[in-house]
Every structure is written in C-alpha cells, then in structure tokens.
Amino acid sequence: MNAPTEAALMAHYHTSAHQVGAAFEGVAYGLAGGLASVLIAGRQARAERDAANADEWYAVAARVRAGRIEAVRARQADAARAEAARLADDAQRMRLLMLRARAAAA
C-alpha cells in the first residue's frame, strides 16, 4: 500500500503565520469583492426597476392628465353649446317681442 509521504501531506498547509495571514487576507478580499459585486448588481437592478416604475407612473399620469383635459374640453364644448342655445332663444324672444310691438303699434 502506498501511503502518502509526510511532505505530500504537508504541502497544502501553511508553513508560517505570515502565509496564514496572507491566505486569510486573500480569502477576505475575495469575499469582499464578491459581496461588492453582488451589492452593485442589486443596486443596478433596483435602479433599473425604479426607472421602469417611474416610466410607468409618468405614463399613468399622462393618461390621467389627458383624461382631465378631455373632460375640461367636453365641459367647455357643452357650455359653448348651451350659450349658443341661450343666445338663439334670446334672439327668438327678441324677434317675437319686436313682432308683437309692431302688431300692437299697427
């Protein structure tokens, strides 16, 4: 049976505290870099989602504004028609009064 040699077993172990610290620092930097990239990706996704939501809200606000403008224009058109009808009635009433006045004068 071929047993591994002691040198082969010890090859992956650190031989000094400096190597242990350097390995720990490397792992810590790797984890920090990975965490930072995840946080940055999350922030970018959130910013994109917020921009899309803002675009949707702007579209909703534009539709609401367009509906309000349409309602105001419809009210203005109704008021203009009512005013025209009132003026036509007034003109008809004046013609009738003039005719009655002429008939009474004759």
Side-chain angles (χ1 to χ4, degrees):
M1 174 159 166
N2 291 339
T5 63
E6 186 176 335
L9 287 175
M10 295 299 289
H12 67 280
Y13 288 108
H14 305 296
T15 56
S16 69
H18 179 71
Q19 286 179 342
V20 170
F24 179 78
E25 185 178 8
V27 169
Y29 278 124
L31 290 174
L35 180 61
S37 65
V38 167
L39 291 174
I40 289 170
R43 182 180 294 163
Q44 288 174 344
R46 189 169 47 251
E48 290 172 3
R49 188 176 58 245
D50 290 346
N53 287 340
D55 289 343
E56 290 174 13
W57 279 110
Y58 287 137
V60 168
R63 284 193 300 273
V64 168
R65 193 175 320 113
R68 288 180 181 169
I69 290 170
E70 184 178 330
V72 166
R73 287 183 179 156
R75 282 195 302 269
Q76 288 173 342
D78 290 344
R81 281 191 295 275
E83 180 67 16
R86 188 185 66 76
L87 289 175
D89 287 346
D90 289 348
Q92 181 68 24
R93 197 171 298 118
M94 283 300 274
R95 280 192 294 275
L96 288 174
L97 287 174
M98 296 285 277
L99 287 174
R100 286 183 189 161
R102 284 183 192 160

